[in-house]
Amino acid sequence: MHPSHTFSVAPMMDWTDSPCRVLHRCLSRHALLYTEMVTADAVLHGDRARLLGFDTFEHPVALQLGGSDPAKLAEASRIAVDFGYDEVNLNVGCPSDRVQSGRFGACLMREPELVGECVAAMRAAVSIPVTVKCRIGVDDQDPEESLRRLIDTCAQTGVSIFAVHARKAWLEGLSPKENRDVPPLDYGLVYRIKRERPHLTILVNGGIETLEQAQEHLTHVDGVMLGRAAYQNPMMLAEVDARFFGGEATDPDAAIDCYAEHVERQLSQGARLHPLIKPMLGLYTGRPGARLFRRHLSEHAPRDGAGIGVLREALSFVRERRAA
Ligand SMILES: Cc1cc2nc3c(=O)[nH]c(=O)nc-3n(C[C@H](O)[C@H](O)[C@H](O)COP(=O)(O)O)c2cc1C
């Protein structure tokens, strides 16, 4: 069954790694989760188990690929299927220099035909959905034209699902971080694309901070994709199933216990605590005990031999505060 795109957590390098996705899955059964971007070259030549391995609990999970060589992307997509991914997504939005020199990411907004060839090759190679994440344009492009051209060129090859980060990337002069905040958002353009092309599944991304905002976007488009807000305040995901999927709200304590069990299993297999804890740091932001929780984890989790006790103790700071 193809995954639902109503609510997803965006691909984020160094952030949406496997531990992060397991934590998010403990909080929401239905949100679609994206990996960090992995380049097609890395998939073909790198340590696949490390780059692509994930916990089956993470389903539904989409692999985001970077690249612009149709044959390599096709092969990387086949490998993604072997690993069990539910979708492959092509990155047409990342603005970093490293990515530009490799001729992929956001600079591909200038080469819609090449993107079309890439997704056509990927679709020919696999039967899971092939989707595209893009910007509305780059530099001096007219977004009204660049976004429609990119989407229409890909749609002609049969791609029907597009996640649009609703701002341009300015490839000259802005850092990747600035490129997530400085170019203005244009949600209206994304809404219009959906109205004009109702048969396509259009997801809006960029600057969505609350589930209320997400709900409002869903009156205009098919899906919302949240990046930083979901990572920095993962507890919001506990409401997602009830609000967007007709399911039940997740009990936050049960979700965190579920993740703590995952941490314990990973530790028993030789993993280190610190990377497992990283996605939890924002969990209790704004709630009593949050600072103690964060400080305890930041101080103790990186130490050699740090065990599950560190997490349990940190959790006791927030839970005891609540009970008091
Ligand atoms: C730390 C970080 C890493 C990111 N890495 C990727 C990436 O690998 N691929 C991608 O398409 N976008 C990446 N992005 C962009 C996000 O997917 C998203 O488009 C952007 O943050 C805007 O959404 P937001 O305002 O909800 O965060 C990254 C964003 C952040 C903050």
Side-chain angles (χ1 to χ4, degrees):
M1 205 183 72
H2 289 176
S4 161
H5 288 82
T6 306
F7 187 102
S8 57
V9 180
M12 289 178 282
M13 291 268 229
D14 297 326
W15 287 10
T16 53
D17 55 8
S18 177
C20 173
R21 298 189 306 260
V22 171
L23 173 66
H24 289 177
R25 181 60 68 224
C26 289
L27 288 155
S28 164
R29 275 178 186 284
H30 300 291
L32 175 59
L33 304 178
Y34 283 81
T35 66
E36 309 165 86
M37 179 185 75
V38 186
T39 66
D41 277 322
V43 173
L44 298 188
H45 308 297
D47 174 354
R48 283 184 200 161
R50 186 180 62 77
L51 290 165
L52 302 182
F54 67 95
D55 194 304
T56 54
F57 180 67
E58 293 171 32
H59 287 296
V61 60
L63 173 67
Q64 189 187 56
L65 291 174
S68 59
D69 180 317
K72 288 181 183 174
L73 284 164
E75 185 54 23
S77 302
R78 261 182 232 116
I79 295 167
V81 170
D82 290 343
F83 270 79
Y85 283 98
D86 299 292
E87 166 183 329
V88 274
N89 174 270
L90 182 63
N91 182 333
V92 189
C94 180
S96 85
D97 287 349
R98 194 170 60 77
V99 165
Q100 283 181 58
S101 61
R103 200 172 165 221
F104 57 83
C107 61
L108 288 176
M109 292 298 299
R110 291 195 182 285
E111 300 192 72
E113 281 74 27
L114 177 58
V115 177
E117 284 169 36
C118 290
V119 289
M122 293 163 74
R123 275 179 47 81
V126 299
S127 55
I128 56 174
V130 172
T131 66
V132 168
K133 178 168 180 279
C134 63
R135 297 277 182 147
I136 60 174
V138 293
D139 297 332
D140 57 357
Q141 282 186 315
D142 173 4
E144 299 282 344
E145 201 205 321
S146 49
L147 182 59
R148 286 185 178 83
R149 264 193 74 197
L150 184 91
I151 287 184
D152 290 343
T153 311
C154 293
Q156 272 163 21
T157 76
V159 172
S160 65
I161 303 171
F162 297 87
V164 185
H165 184 175
R167 54 163 59 90
K168 277 186 173 180
W170 294 340
L171 299 176
E172 308 255 323
L174 287 190
S175 69
K177 188 164 185 296
E178 289 167 326
N179 258 315
R180 289 180 210 126
D181 285 316
V182 176
L185 286 158
D186 186 353
Y187 296 130
L189 172 58
V190 183
Y191 299 166
R192 288 197 295 284
I193 297 276
K194 173 64 200 175
R195 272 205 304 276
E196 293 162 8
R197 294 151 177 79
H199 56 290
L200 297 179
T201 299
I202 303 290
L203 284 53
V204 69
N205 166 246
I208 306 173
E209 290 181 352
T210 64
L211 298 187
E212 287 70 28
Q213 291 169 4
Q215 198 133 30
E216 162 60 23
H217 285 294
L218 286 173
T219 62
H220 302 279
V221 288
D222 305 287
V224 286
M225 175 183 267
L226 274 71
R228 289 163 290 185
Y231 185 84
Q232 285 156 1
N233 176 20
M235 213 54 113
M236 72 154 65
L237 298 175
E239 296 290 323
V240 161
D241 291 351
R243 219 184 241 264
F244 302 111
F245 294 98
E248 308 234 325
T250 307
D251 172 48
D253 283 345
I256 302 316
D257 288 342
C258 149
Y259 187 66
E261 283 165 26
H262 173 76
V263 170
E264 215 165 353
R265 277 194 301 276
Q266 292 291 306
L267 292 173
S268 72
Q269 290 165 24
R272 294 187 57 247
L273 183 65
H274 192 221
L276 294 162
I277 289 308
K278 198 176 136 215
M280 303 184 81
L281 292 175
L283 265 179
Y284 296 101
T285 301
R287 296 173 206 212
R291 279 179 50 201
L292 266 177
F293 173 80
R294 207 184 159 102
R295 185 152 29 120
H296 189 80
L297 289 180
S298 307
E299 244 175 65
H300 296 277
R303 295 187 182 166
D304 278 345
I308 192 72
V310 171
L311 175 56
R312 299 235 181 266
E313 210 166 332
L315 285 172
S316 73
F317 295 133
V318 271
R319 291 183 176 173
E320 277 164 18
R321 285 288 180 98
R322 230 174 14 205

